[in-house]
């Protein structure tokens, strides 16, 4: 069995790709509160970005905790999108923290919806 990892090449680091993801009106978006995902097809595998706004969580330690929760949920369930190459940005929309299990349920639901729509 292959290890499920989240490597550097699976993260969105390019400003150009971020601009394409958020600047293009025809890119799709959906929400499963407290997460919103913006996604578009790409050619070179799945890539993700996780954003937690400072206005919801003033302390960096809280923002980092939520980012870790979302990244871990994606890492464990990324096989849902096998065969599809997408760039995805997960955005946290709530001022409350929720449990890791709830975050994972929301991420899995969004990944299933993306898989059906793509």
């Amino acid at each position: 069995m292959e290890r499920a990892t989240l490597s550097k090449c699976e993260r969105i680091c390019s400003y150009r790709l971020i601009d394409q993801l958020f600047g293009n009106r025809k890119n799709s978006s959906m929400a499963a509160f407290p997460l919103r995902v913006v996604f578009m097809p790409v050619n070179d595998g799945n890539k993700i970005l996780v954003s937690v706004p400072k206005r919801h969580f003033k302390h960096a330690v809280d923002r980092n905790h939520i980012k870790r929760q979302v990244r871990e949920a994606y890492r464990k369930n990324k096989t849902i999108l096998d065969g599809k190459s997408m760039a995805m940005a997960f955005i946290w929309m709530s001022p409350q923290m929720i449990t890791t299990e709830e975050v994972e349920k929301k991420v899995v639901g969004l990944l299933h919806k993306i898989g059906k729509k793509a």
Side-chain angles (χ1 to χ4, degrees):
M1 189 169 105
E2 188 178 319
R3 277 182 50 196
T5 61
L6 187 62
S7 63
K8 172 97 169 141
C9 66
E10 291 181 87
R11 297 176 190 225
I12 296 177
C13 299
S14 160
Y15 289 117
R16 189 173 48 104
L17 185 55
I18 293 170
D19 286 343
Q20 287 175 355
L21 192 58
F22 289 106
N24 195 346
R25 291 279 181 205
K26 45 186 186 168
N27 289 340
S28 299
S29 170
M30 59 183 67
F33 195 79
L35 279 170
R36 178 174 163 248
V37 65
V38 178
F39 61 96
M40 71 177 200
V42 292
N43 294 329
D44 54 346
N46 291 327
K47 296 186 175 290
I48 72 161
L49 172 130
V50 180
S51 174
V52 181
K54 197 173 189 177
R55 75 174 162 206
H56 293 318
F57 296 98
K58 299 297 182 202
H59 299 103
V61 74
D62 296 330
R63 292 192 301 274
N64 292 338
H65 178 72
I66 291 171
K67 288 182 207 177
R68 276 194 302 274
Q69 286 179 315
V70 174
R71 280 195 305 262
E72 178 69 5
Y74 172 78
R75 182 192 67 80
K76 288 168 66 176
N77 298 288
K78 65 183 176 179
T79 56
I80 293 170
L81 294 177
D82 272 351
K84 297 174 178 70
S85 291
M86 301 296 245
M88 298 166 278
F90 290 94
I91 302 152
W92 192 265
M93 299 185 302
S94 171
Q96 276 96 28
M97 294 177 108
I98 62 174
T99 64
T100 302
E101 293 80 23
E102 285 294 315
V103 171
E104 188 165 350
K105 285 180 192 173
K106 302 296 182 172
V107 170
V108 167
L110 287 170
L111 291 175
H112 279 296
K113 287 180 185 178
I114 291 169
K116 287 178 186 173
K117 195 165 184 176

